[in-house]
Amino acid sequence: MKNESGEASVEEENQKQPKEAGKFIKIKKFTFIMGIFLLIFLTAGITTIALTFGDEKVDPLASNKHSEFEKLYSTYDTIKDNYYEEIDQDKLVDGAINGMIKSLDDPYSTYMDKKEASSFHESISSSFEGIGAEIQEQDGKIMVVSPIKGSPAEKAGVKPNDIILSVDGKSLEGLSSSEAVLKIRGEKGTKVDLSITRAGEPEPIALTIKRDTIPIETVYAEMLDDGVAKIQVTSFSEHTVKELETALNDMSKKDMKGLILDLRGNPGGLLDQAIDMASLFIPNGEVVLQVEERSGKKEVFKSKNNGELKIPVVVLIDDGSASASEIVAAAVSESADIPLIGVKSFGKGTVQTAQDFDDGSNFKYTAAKWLTPEGNWIHKKGIKPDIKVNLPDYASLPYISPDKELKASDSSSEVKAAEKMLKAAGYNPGKIDGFFDEETTNAVKEFQKEQKVKETGIIKDDTTVKLMQVIREKILENDTQVKKAVEVLKKEIK
């Protein structure tokens, strides 16, 4: 399932995707929604997929049996009958439900009205229109879990843990992830203005992103040198395991001797897919994960492996790896001794259950927590890799809007970011101080000459786009985490 930033949000990550829109597939007695695929995209909408367990039916009339609801009924009747203006009764009821759920202070419990629920169900289809990022609500703010691979959000430089302050000038403060998704999503070709904050950046970053169609392709395979294959899994949707099996067969035909399973930036997805994927690497009958209810009762999910992958494997994780991807990472680490490489994962270890209402609205709430095979709870802690490897510093440089003009005598955080990009690209902008001086101008002109862009000494439009493209290519060429994974595998390949 996908978050809605796609606007997917991490909240629905553990939710099972049904074959019929609007219904949840059940695994035993639990339904998993893994993080709301706010694909923002920021796709079409990071709401993403949340891990959801639970299957109980909620009786909307059950509240009539409880005396503690008398105040609620009395308040509703008084407002309906005596408020000085006519009120929207549906809006009043929605507000009451929202109030109860928000009082839980839980970013993974949320209510969606009919419009929001419809948007969410669309986000589990085969494609989305949006910017392609998964988001979640955290402490009243909208945080990016991860941009979708190849999405407008990723190309614009959106990073995990970015906080989206506003959309088209309107604040997102206090909104749920599903409400934020409705503001971020939009038709292909339209633009959306975001204001974001990022750790280490003193000022908000302004982004203008053109929305696009975000297809749900979740597996990308390539052969590296010396028989090492790299397969990236970007989310867990309905056909992810089949895609992975196909990719493994294709790589085997190319004489694969070792495998890098890349779960970086993967915000989660369907639980059954996570279990099936982990089972490809874990011996039959070994534990994949445990689910613990409030009572302390645990249900154990075990590997359903029917074969054996007889090559060495390593798994890459980062701070954008969440929910279902953390289930797989923890499972292969603890039950198959497969090493994890990268940086600490996101840390989502709770399980939500979802309830649809007859009018098309729904709500979900946290009903349990999931534990690793050894019983560890990684919620808000994340999973630490066996081998910690950071990407180069320039991999975290902020996005610069092509519409923004940077020129001589300017002084700003954008100028400082541009100076760092120029230096990383092999040019000398002088002192990295955020001041656009003569040395910076000369470095820009040299860059423009080599990139066959008009030599103006000004960073704007094509120059900005080219500069960020060069940095993206440099990150791919110098992926320190992949290089370490290759190094580890080569020691194991026979």
Side-chain angles (χ1 to χ4, degrees):
M1 294 201 98
K2 298 226 155 181
N3 242 341
E4 240 186 15
S5 155
E7 279 120 23
S9 83
V10 176
E11 309 182 2
E12 298 168 8
E13 261 175 18
N14 301 324
Q15 188 168 315
K16 291 216 65 168
Q17 180 172 340
K19 295 197 176 177
E20 286 181 88
K23 296 183 180 177
F24 299 114
I25 296 177
K26 292 157 191 164
I27 294 185
K28 295 189 179 180
K29 72 174 185 178
F30 293 105
T31 299
F32 280 76
I33 300 177
M34 282 280 258
I36 272 183
F37 229 88
L38 220 68
L39 273 176
I40 279 181
F41 219 8
L42 276 166
T43 337
I46 133 169
T47 304
T48 306
I49 304 168
L51 187 63
T52 301
F53 296 78
D55 188 27
E56 298 83 357
K57 296 294 182 181
V58 175
D59 181 0
L61 301 178
S63 57
N64 291 330
K65 303 172 185 177
H66 301 290
S67 59
E68 59 265 30
F69 281 88
E70 290 179 3
K71 285 197 300 183
L72 181 63
Y73 298 143
S74 176
T75 302
Y76 173 81
D77 289 338
T78 298
I79 292 175
K80 182 168 67 74
D81 296 336
N82 301 318
Y83 191 66
Y84 83 105
E85 290 181 338
E86 288 292 324
I87 56 97
D88 183 330
Q89 295 184 42
D90 289 340
K91 189 174 182 180
L92 206 60
V93 172
D94 287 349
I97 298 172
N98 254 321
M100 282 193 287
I101 293 176
K102 286 185 177 181
S103 72
L104 298 173
D105 195 24
D106 175 11
Y108 304 112
S109 297
T110 186
Y111 170 74
M112 289 181 275
D113 61 25
K114 289 179 282 190
K115 186 176 180 181
E116 292 165 348
S118 175
S119 176
F120 166 67
H121 289 312
E122 287 176 11
S123 73
I124 61 175
S125 64
S126 60
S127 64
F128 309 78
E129 289 187 354
I131 68 172
E134 178 178 359
I135 62 171
Q136 75 163 31
E137 184 273 331
Q138 187 174 78
D139 299 327
K141 301 182 184 299
I142 299 300
M143 184 185 75
V144 175
V145 175
S146 184
I148 304 302
K149 180 180 173 64
S151 68
E154 183 190 54
K155 293 175 182 176
V158 174
K159 306 289 185 184
N161 299 311
D162 282 350
I163 301 296
I164 303 177
L165 300 176
S166 65
V167 176
D168 292 331
K170 296 180 180 179
S171 174
L172 299 185
E173 183 79 23
L175 297 188
S176 68
S177 56
S178 54
E179 291 170 328
V181 168
L182 292 179
K183 295 183 179 296
I184 296 169
R185 293 179 63 175
E187 294 182 1
K188 175 182 178 179
T190 60
K191 293 183 178 181
V192 60
D193 295 323
L194 304 182
S195 176
I196 68 173
T197 59
R198 177 176 299 161
E201 295 298 323
E203 300 175 8
I205 301 169
L207 305 178
T208 298
I209 304 176
K210 182 183 285 188
R211 300 177 176 102
D212 202 348
T213 299
I214 313 297
I216 307 306
E217 297 177 26
T218 62
V219 176
Y220 300 81
E222 61 178 314
M223 282 298 297
L224 306 180
D225 296 332
D226 301 318
V228 175
K230 183 172 84 72
I231 300 181
Q232 181 179 13
V233 181
T234 59
S235 65
F236 291 78
S237 65
E238 189 173 20
H239 303 294
T240 295
V241 173
K242 288 184 178 179
E243 289 181 48
L244 177 58
E245 290 174 335
T246 298
L248 287 170
N249 287 333
D250 290 343
M251 294 298 99
S252 293
K253 292 176 182 177
K254 295 179 180 180
D255 197 25
M256 174 176 62
K257 294 181 175 65
L259 171 65
I260 300 171
L261 180 64
D262 189 352
L263 299 180
R264 295 175 299 176
N266 184 321
L270 302 180
L271 177 68
D272 63 336
Q273 296 292 301
I275 293 174
D276 289 348
M277 182 178 294
S279 295
L280 295 175
F281 305 96
I282 296 174
N284 186 54
E286 293 294 324
V287 176
V288 173
L289 82 158
Q290 306 176 55
V291 177
E292 182 177 339
E293 299 176 355
R294 180 171 65 181
S295 65
K297 180 182 177 182
K298 295 179 182 178
E299 181 156 6
V300 178
F301 293 83
K302 296 184 178 181
S303 171
K304 300 176 287 184
N305 190 348
N306 294 318
E308 185 179 356
L309 193 62
K310 297 181 180 180
I311 58 172
V313 179
V314 298
V315 174
L316 298 181
I317 58 172
D318 67 4
D319 55 359
S321 304
S323 204
S325 57
E326 291 179 294
I327 287 176
V328 172
V332 300
S333 174
E334 294 183 1
S335 292
D337 294 323
I338 291 175
L340 306 179
I341 297 174
V343 297
K344 188 172 67 173
S345 66
F346 181 81
K348 186 199 183 279
T350 57
V351 177
Q352 288 70 47
T353 185
Q355 171 66 44
D356 285 335
F357 290 112
D358 290 340
D359 67 353
S361 62
N362 70 21
F363 80 98
K364 63 181 179 298
Y365 62 94
T366 299
K369 57 187 180 182
W370 68 264
L371 311 176
T372 70
E374 295 177 358
N376 298 311
W377 193 35
I378 58 90
H379 194 59
K380 295 185 178 179
K381 301 174 185 176
I383 300 169
K384 292 182 179 180
D386 299 295
I387 305 173
K388 183 178 179 180
V389 181
N390 293 311
L391 290 174
D393 290 341
Y394 52 78
S396 60
L397 287 175
Y399 170 84
I400 302 173
S401 173
D403 298 328
K404 180 89 171 180
E405 182 177 273
L406 306 178
K407 61 184 186 304
S409 298
D410 284 350
S411 180
S412 66
S413 59
E414 287 95 342
V415 171
K416 190 171 185 177
E419 289 173 326
K420 290 181 178 180
M421 289 183 189
L422 286 165
K423 185 173 182 179
Y427 302 88
N428 181 17
K431 186 178 180 181
I432 308 297
D433 56 4
F435 180 68
F436 206 122
D437 57 17
E438 184 177 355
E439 286 183 286
T440 308
T441 301
N442 291 336
V444 172
K445 287 182 177 179
E446 184 181 352
F447 173 81
Q448 290 171 328
K449 181 178 180 180
E450 293 192 9
Q451 294 295 322
K452 296 180 172 52
V453 178
K454 185 177 180 181
E455 296 178 46
T456 62
I458 296 172
I459 300 176
K460 188 181 180 184
D461 298 330
D462 288 348
T463 298
T464 307
V465 173
K466 285 282 188 181
L467 184 56
M468 290 190 293
Q469 181 180 332
V470 167
I471 294 300
R472 280 198 300 271
E473 292 172 353
K474 187 173 179 64
I475 293 170
L476 292 175
E477 292 171 2
N478 189 29
D479 191 328
T480 50
Q481 293 165 345
V482 169
K483 287 184 176 181
K484 173 56 73 171
V486 171
E487 177 186 323
V488 171
L489 285 175
K490 284 185 176 179
K491 293 179 181 178
E492 300 295 325
I493 292 174
K494 298 177 181 180

